[in-house]
């Protein structure tokens, strides 16, 4: 049983958020909970080899869904949005070949896009019905330096399309 600490952090800051939102008449503002994707948690904890270990990723997915469900039970579903964050997946996707390269976009690229988009979608699929999500697709920031260079945006567009195809209803 892995505790990630998201619920604990939510419980510690949500009351102050509600008070400030009320005080300033910002009733339409939602509380945002940033949640790294399961692959990010696995790689940060166990290194790059974790990318190839589905059991590690599955353990983090299960823990994330548990804490998202607990947070959703503590607040009105219209009051919270979960932002899926990934600094591991996006640089990996950015390095994929593009149609402008001298070689065709290959099946291995499609497999990686499917796996990454599937992990994003699996978090939403496991969450309670009507849980709100956003995604933060970036190249990371470590001391104001990106983790990867972005050439063509084509791989990111392909990821977003794959994510839309994989995203669950509700």
């Amino acid at each position: 049983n892995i505790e990630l600490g998201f619920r604990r952090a939510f419980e510690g800051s949500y009351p102050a958020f509600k008070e400030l939102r009320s005080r300033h008449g910002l009733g339409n503002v939602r509380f945002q909970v940033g949640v790294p994707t399961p692959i990010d948690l696995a790689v940060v904890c166990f290194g790059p080899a974790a990318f190839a270990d589905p059991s590690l990723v599955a353990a983090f997915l299960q823990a994330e869904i548990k804490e998202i469900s607990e947070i959703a039970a503590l607040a009105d579903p219209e009051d919270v949005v979960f932002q899926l964050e990934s600094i591991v997946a996006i640089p990996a996707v950015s390095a994929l070949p593009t149609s402008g390269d001298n070689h065709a976009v290959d099946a291995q690229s499609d497999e990686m896009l499917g796996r990454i988009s599937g992990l994003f979608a699996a978090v939403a699929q496991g969450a309670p019905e009507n849980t709100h999500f956003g995604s933060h697709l970036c190249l990371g920031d470590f001391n104001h330096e990106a983790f990867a260079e972005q050439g063509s945006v084509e791989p990111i567009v392909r990821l977003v399309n794959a994510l839309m195809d994989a995203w669950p209803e509700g």
Side-chain angles (χ1 to χ4, degrees):
N1 229 1
I2 302 170
E3 182 185 332
L4 301 172
F6 303 139
R7 180 191 41 79
R8 224 173 336 117
F10 174 81
E11 289 175 321
S13 56
Y14 185 59
F17 165 80
K18 290 194 315 186
E19 169 61 32
L20 288 169
R21 181 179 61 186
S22 175
R23 185 183 310 162
H24 295 285
L26 300 170
N28 62 336
V29 174
R30 289 183 177 166
F31 187 94
Q32 180 178 304
V33 179
V35 181
T37 67
I39 192 71
D40 287 79
L41 291 170
V43 169
V44 166
C45 290
F46 297 103
F51 198 84
D53 188 338
S55 66
L56 287 174
V57 176
F60 281 111
L61 173 62
Q62 182 180 14
E64 250 182 46
I65 290 169
K66 177 181 176 283
E67 292 202 22
I68 287 170
S69 298
E70 290 170 352
I71 292 169
L74 294 171
D76 179 332
E78 295 300 318
D79 212 21
V80 178
V81 62
F82 294 89
Q83 179 169 289
L84 296 173
E85 317 249 1
S86 183
I87 59 168
V88 171
I90 305 311
V93 168
S94 294
L96 293 176
T98 66
S99 58
D101 292 338
N102 288 332
H103 46 81
V105 175
D106 60 3
Q108 189 174 10
S109 297
D110 288 340
E111 182 182 328
M112 179 185 280
L113 289 170
R115 182 166 180 222
I116 290 170
S117 63
L119 284 171
F120 274 77
V123 174
Q125 182 68 43
E129 186 79 14
N130 295 320
T131 301
H132 296 278
F133 286 93
S135 293
H136 182 197
L137 305 175
C138 74
L139 294 170
D141 182 357
F142 185 71
N143 293 326
H144 306 294
E145 294 290 328
F147 288 127
E149 292 294 319
Q150 178 68 50
S152 170
V153 295
E154 181 184 327
I156 302 299
V157 171
R158 289 176 54 219
L159 174 63
V160 171
N161 288 336
L163 183 55
M164 296 307 297
D165 289 343
W167 202 257
E169 294 292 324

